[in-house]
Amino acid sequence: MNSNTESLDKAKQVKQFEGTKAGVKGLVDSGITTIPSIFIHEANKLSDLKPNSTTRSGSIVVPTIDLSGVNDSHLRSTIVEKISCASREIGFFQITNHGIQEEVMERMIGAIKAFHEQPADIKGSFYVRDFRPVMYFSNVDLFQSNAASWRDTLQIGLGPTLPELDEIPEICRREVVEWNENVKKLGEVLLELLCEGLGVDKGRLKELAFTEGRRMVGHYYPYCPQPDLTVGITSHTDPGVLTILLQDQIGGLQIKYGDEWVDVKPVPGNIVINIGDIFQIMSNDEYRSVEHRVLANPSHEPRISVGVFFNTSERDRMYGPFPELVSPEKPAHFRQFEYTDYLKRFFTKELDGKSLVNYYRN
């Protein structure tokens, strides 16, 4: 089969898969024992996918930072130092005593699981590819990627205002509203701490509306019969300044550390935090936006995660490194750009590592 024929065949398979509006969950429910070819990744991208095969989970541990005492001036300075250090060295950290009750977290995970496990005809009514406040789809880059990944997603815009309540699926409506209230408060605290760690005014990112443009993704990673041939999500970095991630106990999230992969092991009650591309740019390379991925799920229990991306709601402004972090000794590492330009580039390409950060680099 020549390359043109292969491309046509792949395009036909993608179109057929998209037309079912049932996602990867629909493939699993049909009883398949081998995955369709559109999900099979190139051999060079699969060589290091086996859990712990090339990870350094024994020597590198994503730190857990206790936020209790964040309002005490003495304890706060220690918390700022720990968060700043983790953001500079690893780009990821976990937090405990963050103020969100474990029951709230469990309800959120349960609600996303319930949405994805509804009959296909019910959840299929939310299946769209054009950008809307509430979207259900499989693979944000399905039509741009060389190979699809083994996951489905419910995406909801949380800010500056929630969608109309009747637009949010009833099965998870109460939990989404509750999670939004909690995660907004937590995000504001974290952004203040991160700004303090850079030596800039703690309210700087809030003034630039980076607490307002929140978007939630509720990922569902069903059982994969051939997890060595595909991934849950390919290696990528996140848009925006910050991601707050709630994950269940199944595992599979990994981050890139040097040339190797490190497991971000689930810890009950913990929430995972990572730096986004825009924060690396605005911090003038002080903080790191790090590549991460999720392995295909070999467990018969689905993996659920809920990520909230903190973006600016003022998308037509120019952004770049904070002026106070630029000096003759450390000139600006990035050029100024409109956030709309960044988002356009992000959503019209395959998820592929740190290409956008490097695109804006001087």
Side-chain angles (χ1 to χ4, degrees), residues 208-281:
L208 293 171
F210 275 99
T211 59
E212 297 303 313
R214 301 178 308 285
R215 183 157 290 272
M216 186 198 89
V217 289
H219 292 312
Y220 185 93
Y221 302 86
Y223 163 70
C224 181
Q226 294 178 295
D228 56 334
L229 296 182
T230 190
V231 294
I233 188 168
T234 54
S235 174
H236 67 287
T237 55
D238 289 347
V241 290
L242 186 76
T243 302
I244 294 178
L245 178 73
L246 175 63
Q247 62 172 342
D248 66 11
Q249 303 306 304
I250 298 298
L253 174 64
Q254 296 184 329
I255 66 169
K256 193 77 173 286
Y257 188 87
D259 294 327
E260 298 175 281
W261 289 95
V262 178
D263 296 318
V264 183
K265 295 183 177 180
V267 179
N270 279 13
I271 291 176
V272 178
I273 308 298
N274 66 278
I275 301 299
D277 287 350
I278 301 301
F279 217 158
Q280 176 166 345
I281 291 170

Side-chain angles (χ1 to χ4, degrees), residues 62-65 67 82-87 90-95 190 194 242-243 255 264 271-275:
V62 174
T64 295
I65 299 170
L67 293 191
K82 289 180 179 179
I83 286 180
S84 176
C85 182
S87 300
I90 302 178
F92 266 74
F93 55 93
Q94 301 202 51
I95 56 173
L190 288 167
L194 285 160
L242 186 76
T243 302
I255 66 169
V264 183
I271 291 176
V272 178
I273 308 298
N274 66 278
I275 301 299

Side-chain angles (χ1 to χ4, degrees), residues 198-214:
L198 290 171
V200 302
D201 182 83
K202 70 178 184 179
R204 189 67 172 280
L205 287 172
K206 187 173 184 179
E207 291 171 4
L208 293 171
F210 275 99
T211 59
E212 297 303 313
R214 301 178 308 285

Side-chain angles (χ1 to χ4, degrees), residues 37-50:
S37 60
I38 60 171
F39 290 91
I40 298 176
H41 288 246
E42 296 174 359
N44 65 329
K45 293 186 177 181
L46 297 170
S47 59
D48 64 352
L49 283 180
K50 292 180 181 179

Side-chain angles (χ1 to χ4, degrees), residues 294-313:
V294 175
L295 303 179
N297 181 16
S299 168
H300 284 275
E301 276 294 310
R303 177 182 188 268
I304 312 296
S305 69
V306 183
V308 176
F309 306 113
F310 279 71
N311 306 303
T312 181
S313 60

